[in-house]
Amino acid sequence: PANGYAQLSIPLQAREYGCKTILFMAKRSMDNLHDYQKRALEYGADIRWVPNGMLSVTKKRARDYVDQDPKSRRLLQLGLDEQRVREDIRDIAKNIEKDYNINISEVWSVGSSGTLTRGLQMAFPDKDVNVVSVGHKMKEGVGRAKLYLSKYKFTQEVKDEDKPPFPSVPTYDAKAWPVMREYAKKGSLFWNVGK
């Protein structure tokens, strides 16, 4: 999606390994690009614009591209939903309590694919985990997390009164804040993806 983080992180990581990033995205007017799309281009991504780019059509174009040369091309799942990514999330998060000398009562994140919440569940096997759905209406892929739905649409920014008191992306992470204000326990950890 135009407001997704993958288009920022993948080109930067790919560049570290001498790889190229090809992104398939719904076609937009070049003077109407999202800031993240502009940055993706600056980071070296090759964006293939798909006319009438419904998700199913865009995914099909990406699969067809990979199928043309499967030995040198790889299709990454939406949300980077792969075991290695979940293990990396686990490895980054699992020592937070020890490293920062804190006690976490429960864990919160936003979610769309569910990759992040499942990685956090691996990092905190004895903690309650909560996820606020900010993309499609998550039903699967949340593992043992308690699921909450954001009242905001995917591309909609949170209203000023719902913004957290710390830097957070208003179309993604910030959507957890109004839910957390209502349900989170004292000592909760919030995984703020974008900031």
Side-chain angles (χ1 to χ4, degrees):
N3 61 326
Y5 297 134
Q7 65 194 324
L8 302 177
S9 58
I10 293 172
L12 290 173
Q13 190 69 32
R15 189 167 60 194
E16 290 293 314
Y17 290 95
C19 297
K20 185 176 181 179
T21 301
I22 310 290
L23 300 172
F24 289 81
M25 305 182 91
K27 186 174 184 177
R28 298 180 89 153
S29 148
M30 292 308 279
D31 59 351
N32 188 33
L33 294 182
H34 190 281
D35 285 342
Y36 294 173
Q37 291 174 313
K38 292 174 187 175
R39 285 172 53 192
L41 290 167
E42 290 170 13
Y43 295 166
D46 176 353
I47 300 178
R48 306 290 171 95
W49 301 106
V50 180
N52 302 315
M54 299 294 292
L55 182 58
S56 59
V57 174
T58 305
K59 287 170 70 174
K60 172 85 166 75
R61 292 284 176 1
R63 281 192 308 273
D64 289 348
Y65 177 79
V66 170
D67 289 345
Q68 291 170 5
D69 188 2
K71 290 184 180 181
S72 64
R73 297 176 181 167
R74 180 162 181 233
L75 181 65
L76 301 177
Q77 298 302 315
L78 289 178
L80 298 177
D81 192 12
E82 298 184 6
Q83 182 65 24
R84 175 59 196 264
V85 173
R86 292 187 295 273
E87 290 169 354
D88 286 347
I89 293 167
R90 175 202 62 204
D91 293 346
I92 291 168
K94 68 182 178 184
N95 293 320
I96 287 176
E97 286 183 298
K98 180 178 73 174
D99 292 347
Y100 292 95
N101 195 28
I102 57 174
N103 292 314
I104 297 169
S105 62
E106 63 181 0
V107 179
W108 285 81
S109 71
V110 293
S112 183
S113 67
T115 305
L116 175 60
T117 189
R118 290 192 313 278
L120 292 171
Q121 290 168 48
M122 292 166 63
F124 301 101
D126 300 326
K127 306 273 184 208
D128 289 336
V129 178
N130 304 276
V131 62
V132 179
S133 175
V134 297
H136 60 86
K137 301 293 187 238
M138 294 174 76
K139 293 179 184 167
E140 299 175 7
V142 297
R144 62 180 174 81
K146 183 168 184 180
L147 175 64
Y148 297 86
L149 301 178
S150 172
K151 65 183 178 182
Y152 292 100
K153 293 180 181 175
F154 184 58
T155 58
Q156 186 180 11
E157 290 189 10
V158 296
K159 294 178 182 174
D160 286 342
E161 62 266 21
D162 284 336
K163 288 183 179 175
F166 48 81
S168 190
V169 177
T171 57
Y172 199 70
D173 306 295
K175 293 176 183 175
W177 191 247
V179 179
M180 288 184 67
R181 279 193 322 226
E182 187 171 349
Y183 298 106
K185 298 176 187 172
K186 185 176 181 175
S188 293
L189 169 71
F190 172 51
W191 196 273
N192 195 27
V193 180
K195 292 287 181 177

